[in-house]
Structures are given as structure tokens and as C-alpha cells.
Amino acid sequence: MDKEVLYERVQNMIVSSTKKPKYTALSTVKIADLFGVESAEVEKTLEQLIKEGRLNKSTLPEPPNYEIYQLP
């Protein structure tokens, strides 16, 4: 999976978000389907982006407690 293509897609989703602060909740299954890869590969690539400091991952404090992604 091309890390830069995934990063651009996620970055655009976050920037176009209407939420304050800007964030997005991702479905790795849907993204994997769009790219034609396994969801585990998407999760691995997202983890690499987090380790590189290009994305932040957290959990919403109130239900439904989605895992969310933000730009640093």
C-alpha cells in the first residue's frame, strides 16, 4: 500500500472536516476496499504514519468512543 497516497486521502478527510477541532473517524475496511487491499495493511500503514508523527490517534471521550485521527 502506498503510504503517501493513504496519507493524502486521510489528510484531505481531516482538513475537510466540519468538526472543531478537526478530526476524522476512519473505517479501515472501507479504505481497504477503495484501495483494493486488506484492512490489516491499511491499519499497518496508519500505524507507520502515527509513529512518524504525521498523524495523531486518540479516542473520543464520549460514546460511541470512536478512534479518531488528527493532524499534529
Side-chain angles (χ1 to χ4, degrees):
M1 149 144 265
D2 188 344
K3 184 170 34 175
E4 292 308 313
V5 172
L6 178 61
Y7 177 71
E8 286 179 24
R9 180 73 58 102
V10 173
Q11 181 184 32
N12 287 334
M13 292 168 68
I14 294 170
V15 169
S16 65
S17 172
T18 59
K19 300 169 183 79
K20 300 277 187 213
K22 291 190 177 283
Y23 68 86
T24 190
L26 302 175
S27 167
T28 55
V29 174
K30 287 182 182 179
I31 292 174
D33 189 45
L34 287 172
F35 285 104
V37 297
E38 296 290 324
S39 61
E41 192 172 343
V42 173
E43 290 173 14
K44 184 179 87 172
T45 307
L46 285 171
E47 288 300 320
Q48 289 174 354
L49 291 168
I50 292 165
K51 285 180 184 175
E52 291 173 5
R54 297 171 71 186
L55 288 176
N56 293 332
K57 179 180 176 181
S58 59
T59 304
L60 286 177
E62 43 308 304
N65 302 109
Y66 289 127
E67 289 183 341
I68 61 170
Y69 296 85
Q70 296 174 297
L71 296 174

